[in-house]
Amino acid sequence: MTYRIYTFGCQMNEHDSERLAFELEKFGYTKAGNEIPDLFIINTCAVRDKAVQKLYTMLGRVREWARRGTIIGVVGCVAQVEKERLIKRFPYISFVLGPRSYPYLLEALSKAKKGEKLVKADWRKNWWEIGGARRENPAVAYISIMEGCNNFCTYCIVPFTRGRELYRPLSSILDEVRRVVDQGYKEIQLLGQNVDSWKCDNYRFWHLLERVRNIRGIKWIRFITSHPKEFSKEIIDIMAEGEPVSPYVHLPIQAGSNKILAAMRRGYTREKFLEIAIEIRKRVPNSSIGTDVIVGFPGEEEKDFVQTLEIMKAVRFDNLYSFHYNPRPFTYAGRFLKDNVPKEVKRKRLIELQELQKEIQLEKNRNFVGKTVEVLVTGRSAKDKRAFMGRDATFRVVNFEYEGENPIGKILEVKIKEAGPHSLKGEVIGE
Ligand code: SAM
Ligand code: SF4
Ligand code: F3S
């Protein structure tokens, strides 16, 4: 029996798919090659409508497979909110499981084989009841430290798809970190929608970072995503001490105007954000800050957007994920605020923001030319399949050519020769 999992969305979803794959292999499934699989699972994202539309396109494509006997399952964030509606619309789906219902996978499969359907989208179970992951990347191990989000930012559907925060116990996290380090993984990425709110008994997130840092054999510890409202001085203290804690932090700002930040219910002001960013820049050697921005939130006027541009110039982020606002069901903004920034204006603002960021990134990346950085090799280069790629401590993508045996998973010393806005290119000078 063969399976294939198609994944949309964030690292949490990617990691969930790795865990689903582990379970499937435990039940005797093997990963399908190019042939039509016996089981096809789509792990879905609901954060923007575009991602949901991709699911529907995909379901249209696999209809014929279902007719020929492939079991089709839809899991993840869209599954959680759409539930039975998915099966009503696409009757050839066999099961629908929300992100906290994966422990029902075995039940779903045995029902599917009998031609029965299963829809589970409750909050009772959680992921950590499932024991392992079939990791896709041989260098970087994702470790889930929490589920859900309590923040209810007014634009965001995630609290409705992943539920309220649930923290994985400290010992369970540390056990998994030790296990993956023994298996040879060099980078650990601690995952949660809001890692700063993780807690366990009297331990807070910075205690967890300290405990993970003390496990020998890790090159870099990264954590994704941080929230400016809860990002604490103690985390900066730990980052300032350097490796193995990475100098990279992903700290989504979302907007630069206090009016919009308040309407988004983000819980911080532009001044507070700047204060944190300045502190990180001052205290963390080689600090690198990534962010997310939404343009065109309801009520965003030109002067609000200008404030976003200003803060981008002040912080000089090292990377940016940017989106135009998309009203989402269940959310406060989706239900009660008029999506009143015209599409054209959103588009124009997004382009202006991205152009500015491109310039900043190019300038920053050019400072790397001539320097030697350590790169953890993660795979083949996206642009040139003969070359390899990896990331340095600051989370920059570095491409390089390599003649020897497959270097994936190794740490190489790379001298940077060229810089683009989104990546660096270099020559390997040592291992
Ligand atoms: N937990 C993280 C945080 O607090 O920023 C990120 C969560 S979300 C999965 C990833 C990004 O999607 C957000 O940072 C936001 O920029 C974007 N996003 C979420 N809802 C959106 C919406 N309705 N329209 C456009 N972008 C959205
Ligand atoms: Fe969504 Fe806000 Fe939670 Fe991030 S912190 S997942 S943006 S509700
Ligand atoms: Fe998407 Fe769910 Fe992640 S909505 S961004 S897959 S938490």
Side-chain angles (χ1 to χ4, degrees), residues 10 185 217 250 274 336-337 359:
C10 60
Y185 288 90
H250 193 76
L274 258 178
F336 303 115
L337 304 180
E359 265 173 49

Side-chain angles (χ1 to χ4, degrees), residues 27 95 97 102-114 116-118 120 125:
F27 304 151
F95 60 87
L97 301 178
Y102 298 144
Y104 294 108
L105 182 64
L106 184 54
E107 189 183 332
L109 290 172
S110 52
K111 276 189 181 277
K113 282 178 195 154
K114 289 187 263 169
E116 296 167 18
K117 313 265 180 204
L118 184 72
K120 285 281 184 193
K125 301 250 182 180

Side-chain angles (χ1 to χ4, degrees), residues 296-311:
F297 186 80
E300 186 188 71
E301 296 171 83
E302 195 58 29
K303 60 177 193 270
D304 299 307
F305 176 62
V306 168
Q307 293 197 327
T308 300
L309 296 178
E310 280 169 8
I311 208 157

Side-chain angles (χ1 to χ4, degrees), residues 149 151-153 155-156 158-159 193 227 254 266:
C149 180
N151 283 320
F152 291 89
C153 301
Y155 51 82
C156 184
V158 170
Q193 285 299 352
H227 196 300
Q254 310 296 4
R266 287 290 289 175

Side-chain angles (χ1 to χ4, degrees), residues 67-124:
R67 209 183 54 76
R68 291 202 227 160
T70 298
I71 296 172
I72 309 286
V74 177
V75 305
C77 290
V78 181
Q80 182 66 37
V81 288
E82 289 298 316
K83 305 181 179 68
E84 288 82 6
R85 278 196 294 269
L86 281 170
I87 294 194
K88 275 209 186 101
R89 198 167 152 192
F90 303 93
Y92 50 89
I93 295 174
S94 290
F95 60 87
V96 173
L97 301 178
R100 290 206 189 163
S101 301
Y102 298 144
Y104 294 108
L105 182 64
L106 184 54
E107 189 183 332
L109 290 172
S110 52
K111 276 189 181 277
K113 282 178 195 154
K114 289 187 263 169
E116 296 167 18
K117 313 265 180 204
L118 184 72
V119 177
K120 285 281 184 193
D122 56 43
W123 306 112
R124 270 170 298 163

Side-chain angles (χ1 to χ4, degrees), residues 374-403:
E374 285 184 301
V375 175
L376 175 58
V377 189
T378 52
R380 296 260 171 199
S381 166
K383 283 188 198 140
D384 174 359
K385 286 288 165 215
R386 286 164 311 169
F388 289 90
M389 63 160 287
R391 289 189 188 259
D392 76 342
T394 70
F395 209 47
R396 281 177 169 76
V397 171
V398 181
N399 293 297
F400 56 89
E401 281 169 16
Y402 191 80
E403 296 295 334

Side-chain angles (χ1 to χ4, degrees), residues 21 40 63 76 91 184 205 238 276 280 293 307 317 335 346 348 363 382 392:
F40 186 63
R63 188 191 188 119
F205 180 60
I238 294 180
I276 300 171
I280 296 172
V293 172
Q307 293 197 327
F317 289 103
R335 295 172 63 198
K346 284 182 186 166
K348 187 182 114 323
E363 276 171 30
D392 76 342

Side-chain angles (χ1 to χ4, degrees), residues 47 148-160 165 192-194 225-230 252 254 264-266 292 294:
V47 80
C149 180
N150 291 348
N151 283 320
F152 291 89
C153 301
T154 55
Y155 51 82
C156 184
I157 199 171
V158 170
F160 303 92
E165 288 175 8
Q193 285 299 352
N194 178 13
T225 302
S226 296
H227 196 300
K229 182 177 67 165
E230 278 164 282
Q254 310 296 4
M264 289 175 161
R265 218 187 281 143
R266 287 290 289 175
D292 297 354
I294 298 175

